[in-house]
Amino acid sequence: MDIYAHRGSSGTHPENTFAAFKEAARLPIFGVEFDVHMTRDGELVIIHDEKINRTSNGKGFVKDMTLNELKKYDFGAWFSKECKGEVIPTLFEVLELFSETSLQLNIELKSDVFPYPGMAEKVLDLVGAMKLDSRVVISSFNHEMIRTVKQLAPHIQTAALFMEVLVDPLQYIRAIPTDALHITKHAALRSSAKKVIEEGVPVQVFTVNKASQMKALKEIGVRAIFTDYPEKMSNHLNNTSIPKQSVPIISVFKNIIGKNK
Ligand code: G3P
Ligand code: MG
């Protein structure tokens, strides 16, 4: 099973910041995931929400601000006073940081609320120019944009993100088309996900912060997890003294049954 640091090492550092990414870059993990939005002046920046309110000392939508305006805000102090001074990273800066590593890079295009015209083309141009084609997976809840990515660059790995449980995900992902399925823990437990796994399509699950859940997901054939605590989970995964999962899967997940994420 592979481990992706979700929004960088976001449990220990402010999410989607240089601090969280530098921490992920030093770990023996498979990859890192981060979220991309587009500014008013067409720059690609790394942040999870459409607004900067939750993770900075500013207010407003990313789409209404220029990169210069956004760079003036602090994206670390909300997490802890030690993390004060973090500035919003651009996609270029993050790709540059990870180009020195061998980590896989999951670029999540956050174009499901605002469509960000031209985002797919800009991301592909940058990835191509930096020669990172073989190291990226482009995912999105916006499946039309995943289709565009595949049309423009069929060699780039893509993944469709779902919050919902589909009756026939295999048929759906072939229709987009896309290479992998990124789903919630809740959805991964359903028989429809089992069929996708049996067909050999990578199924990767967010957000998994408990070792017992990671081990149960590994047993059912989930390819990778996204976790906020990559160091802790990597230690658990590599600690062979921990007995193999033996309790029924339903008991491992009983606290999330009925929840979506
Ligand atoms: O890509 C997995 C996960 O990041 C999707 O959800 O909301 O954390 O971006 P979210
Ligand atoms: Mg994400």
Side-chain angles (χ1 to χ4, degrees):
M1 169 173 270
D2 295 325
I3 290 180
Y4 279 90
H6 180 236
R7 310 180 194 174
S9 183
S10 60
T12 57
H13 296 73
E15 66 182 55
N16 284 325
T17 62
F18 293 107
F21 295 137
K22 282 179 188 160
E23 174 64 7
R26 71 167 192 87
L27 298 174
I29 55 174
F30 183 74
V32 60
E33 183 264 1
F34 42 85
D35 308 294
V36 181
H37 285 265
M38 201 155 84
T39 65
R40 196 176 84 211
D41 51 344
E43 298 288 340
L44 300 169
V45 287
I46 307 303
I47 180 171
H48 179 271
D49 302 353
E50 283 70 30
K51 285 181 169 178
I52 66 170
N53 302 33
R54 180 178 63 85
T55 57
S56 82
N57 57 351
K59 279 194 178 135
F61 288 101
V62 173
K63 71 173 180 59
D64 294 336
M65 296 180 213
T66 64
L67 178 60
N68 271 346
E69 284 163 355
L70 279 166
K71 283 279 187 188
K72 292 182 182 139
Y73 293 110
D74 185 311
F75 285 79
W78 69 275
F79 188 85
S80 75
K81 60 178 187 301
E82 290 74 29
C83 296
K84 190 169 179 271
E86 287 292 329
V87 293
I88 194 168
T90 63
L91 178 61
F92 171 76
E93 289 166 339
V94 172
L95 293 181
E96 198 176 39
L97 189 157
F98 285 113
S99 65
E100 301 301 316
T101 72
S102 57
L103 293 191
Q104 288 295 115
L105 310 173
N106 181 183
I107 303 173
E108 184 186 340
L109 307 183
K110 285 286 187 197
S111 57
D112 46 309
V113 175
F114 301 115
Y116 296 132
M119 177 186 249
E121 290 82 351
K122 281 175 191 266
V123 170
L124 289 172
D125 284 351
L126 190 56
V127 166
M130 298 181 81
K131 302 197 182 344
L132 290 168
D133 303 51
S134 63
R135 284 180 50 201
V136 304
V137 177
I138 296 183
S139 65
S140 188
F141 286 105
N142 176 352
H143 301 161
E144 290 148 322
M145 196 166 263
I146 290 299
R147 173 173 281 177
T148 301
V149 168
K150 266 294 176 211
Q151 282 168 351
L152 293 171
H155 65 290
I156 294 277
Q157 292 294 302
T158 63
L161 275 156
F162 289 96
M163 292 299 294
E164 311 82 9
V165 177
L166 297 184
V167 172
D168 191 349
L170 205 49
Q171 186 190 41
Y172 186 78
I173 61 181
R174 283 176 178 155
I176 297 176
T178 189
D179 303 299
L181 201 57
H182 290 184
I183 56 176
T184 63
K185 300 174 286 237
H186 180 250
L189 303 179
R190 304 290 278 265
S191 60
S192 52
K194 188 166 178 252
K195 284 193 202 119
V196 179
I197 292 170
E198 282 168 1
E199 282 295 313
V201 175
V203 170
Q204 320 205 114
V205 175
F206 58 92
T207 304
V208 182
N209 291 331
K210 290 190 174 155
S212 57
Q213 295 182 347
M214 174 175 64
K215 285 166 191 293
L217 291 167
K218 185 180 174 192
E219 280 204 355
I220 63 173
V222 165
R223 180 77 59 93
I225 57 150
F226 298 89
T227 180
D228 301 329
Y229 297 92
E231 182 168 36
K232 181 185 84 175
M233 297 298 263
S234 166
N235 287 341
H236 278 298
L237 193 63
N238 298 324
N239 184 351
T240 46
S241 67
I242 293 177
K244 201 165 173 264
Q245 186 67 48
S246 55
V247 293
I249 193 164
I250 198 79
S251 68
V252 176
F253 285 95
K254 62 181 183 301
N255 61 333
I256 65 157
I257 301 295
K259 294 181 192 166
N260 272 332
K261 197 174 174 190

